[in-house]
């Protein structure tokens, strides 16, 4: 799926890049030979043939009801003149991130980042060795950290995510994401995005959708990677946010990150933020946990064709298997609602041919 | 300028619609005659000629330093291979609304809406006749309203803007905007947008810019009109916001508007919200008051070519003349900074040929 990955890396080039990358190598090679013989008119004809050779936009999805529901939905809303047609500017699709687009086990990526930051900053804070939740974070004792509850997590967040400018934090997050590896798969976290979901993002965009991320994760933690990994630009990333304060430092304006939560983009917060920031109801919403339940309900309550989809982590051998009892990405009430209302529940085990993109 | 207006009403049709609308009628008529004689090849040639006939994208702007600064800036950042080239996806332009895109005197449009709502709701609140700030609002006594300060305005806002769902409020705002008229010009408020700024919005979009509104006005008050009037879709409108609460009513999800301020999108709030919601620094920012000063400073502090512009209301005969002493849209500190730093200060009187679009 190198071709799709390449297209994702160059979103500005758009559909044409996607089409070109999807033309098999031998077709392109043949195109070059023909060109040398017959000139530019022949090239145009071969290019047209190449367009037809572009076949499956979702090659990592097995045939089955999940894939069929996606393709049917897209076909209905994109078919001009059809009864379910929706103008392109109204085709909004919202995606949760953790557990929907990339791995969230054994802990949320941002939590791993936080633990790593505590270790990095510890030499300047000798008192942390004896104070929870920092002691637990330094010793990798997640139970001790968890025992400090919300207060402890807020302390860790304040110590690791605030007190710098937005530009400084962006660099810290980008640098960490450039080297940090997943403990089980030993790939960069940014390589632990789900290949079938990358295809789905590109497929929706090819069909005129504007793809948004609507995640409980921090918006400024995600932005350094979303464009490169998912093809989603910064202005289409919604997440939890802390307050910032505009200041002049030596006459230069900066935005200082403050240790105060501004918005938690989870559960009810998702439709609230979608309404406030996007101002349109999504046509399609994708999640994997109870944190996404209200976003899917809000999407489902619109008129006309809608697509609500949950990724169910049931693949212990290739990724992880968890749902109703998990502390990260619990899928319990939303699974009941999905089953009751006929939302699509994707089985990673049965619906997906591969989990991760090939590592470059 | 009917042609530009038409293009603004069909943003999805994009550049081609703009180009076609800009071709003078006689050229189009001649095109039809030629077509009947010479067929489609001739049409293509005439269409090409029409492209050249498309001359001035800013016909309501007089020649002068303001217009020149705009055209020079756009030329520099859009010129591929040039030293100031910026890729299209990074071309963000942010516009204040009140006083920059439409009239804000004798009072902000949303304030007029609020006063009108108080009168409409008064029969259900007999106590308002004797209680400030409602008494003042009902009697049109703005001094009495102003005397109640921020507390009074918050009471008025809560009584008129909250306690309903987001969808109900959208309809209330849209219905009011469909009929409410400006007291001086006797046109619909939505017809009191500035023609030169409509041309500027379209010109920037034609040159690959994504145009945002970043206004102190309520985001849900503006959205019912921004796409139709400015060609700015809901997801590119940032404004002040109240909190909403996700609820199930008879099993159907709604977002209830609560009497609590979530964010004031003014002064420092503008760069803070731009950073949080757009996640990119604007290349160009347009305002008219001290409320826009920080947005322009934030824009100016980026590297490479930038454009900061203030609309100066100095045209008492065609619109209004006000700046340092005005209670609505005060322009004082930002004017000093603009003069000190060489930001563009547009004189409505000298730089604009016309103020408003022709009424249809």
């Amino acid at each position: 799926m190198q071709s799709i990955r390449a297209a994702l890396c160059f979103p500005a080039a758009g559909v044409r890049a996607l089409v070109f990358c999807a033309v098999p190598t031998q077709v392109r090679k043949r195109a070059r030979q023909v060109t040398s013989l017959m000139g530019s008119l022949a090239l145009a004809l071969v290019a047209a043939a190449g367009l037809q050779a572009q076949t499956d936009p979702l090659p990592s999805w097995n045939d089955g009801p999940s894939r069929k529901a996606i393709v049917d939905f897209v076909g209905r809303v994109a078919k001009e003149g059809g009864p379910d047609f929706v103008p392109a500017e109204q085709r909004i699709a919202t995606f949760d991130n953790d557990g929907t687009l990339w791995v969230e086990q054994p802990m949320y990526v941002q939590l791993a980042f936080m633990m790593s930051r505590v270790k990095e900053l510890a030499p300047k804070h000798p008192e942390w060795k004896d104070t929870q939740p920092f002691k637990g974070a330094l010793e990798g004792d997640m139970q001790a950290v968890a025992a400090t509850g919300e207060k402890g997590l807020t302390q860790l967040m304040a110590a690791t995510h605030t007190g710098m400018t937005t530009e400084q934090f962006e660099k810290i997050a980008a640098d960490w994401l450039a080297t940090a590896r997943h403990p089980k798969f030993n790939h960069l976290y940014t390589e632990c995005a789900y290949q079938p979901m990358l295809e789905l993002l590109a497929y929706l965009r090819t069909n005129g959708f504007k793809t948004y991320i609507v995640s409980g994760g921090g918006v400024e933690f995600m932005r350094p990677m979303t464009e490169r990994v998912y093809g989603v630009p910064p202005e289409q990333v919604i997440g939890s946010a802390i307050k910032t304060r505009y200041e002049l430092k030596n006459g230069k304006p900066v935005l200082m990150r403050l240790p105060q939560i501004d918005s938690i983009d989870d559960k009810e917060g998702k439709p609230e933020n979608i309404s406030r920031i996007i101002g349109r109801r999504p046509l399609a919403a994708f999640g994997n946990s109870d944190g996404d339940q209200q976003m899917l309900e809000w999407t489902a309550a619109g008129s006309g064709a809608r697509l609500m989809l949950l990724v169910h982590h049931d693949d212990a051998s290739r990724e992880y298997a968890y749902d109703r009892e998990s502390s990260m990405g619990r899928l319990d009430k939303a699974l009941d609602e999905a089953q009751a209302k006929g939302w699509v529940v994707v089985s990673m085990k049965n619906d997906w041919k591969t989990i991760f993109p090939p590592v470059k």
Side-chain angles (χ1 to χ4, degrees), chain A residues 1 78 82 113 118 128 130 170 180 194 222 237 263 303 312:
Chain A
M1 287 311 95
F113 165 73
V118 169
W128 284 359
D130 308 305
E170 184 184 337
Y194 303 129
M222 292 184 282
V237 180
S263 163
S303 60
H312 189 194

Side-chain angles (χ1 to χ4, degrees), chain A residues 155-175:
Chain A
Q155 279 182 289
L156 285 174
M157 200 273 294
T160 56
H161 281 63
T162 73
M164 69 289 276
T165 70
T166 49
E167 287 186 338
Q168 286 166 337
F169 181 76
E170 184 184 337
K171 185 173 182 324
I172 291 167
D175 287 351

Side-chain angles (χ1 to χ4, degrees), chain A residues 85-93 207-210 212 278 280-281 283:
Chain A
F85 175 72
V86 177
E89 67 271 18
Q90 292 172 31
R91 291 182 212 152
I92 302 286
N207 283 280
F209 279 80
K210 204 166 190 175
Y212 276 82
I278 307 179
R280 302 190 200 258
R281 194 188 295 258
L283 283 193

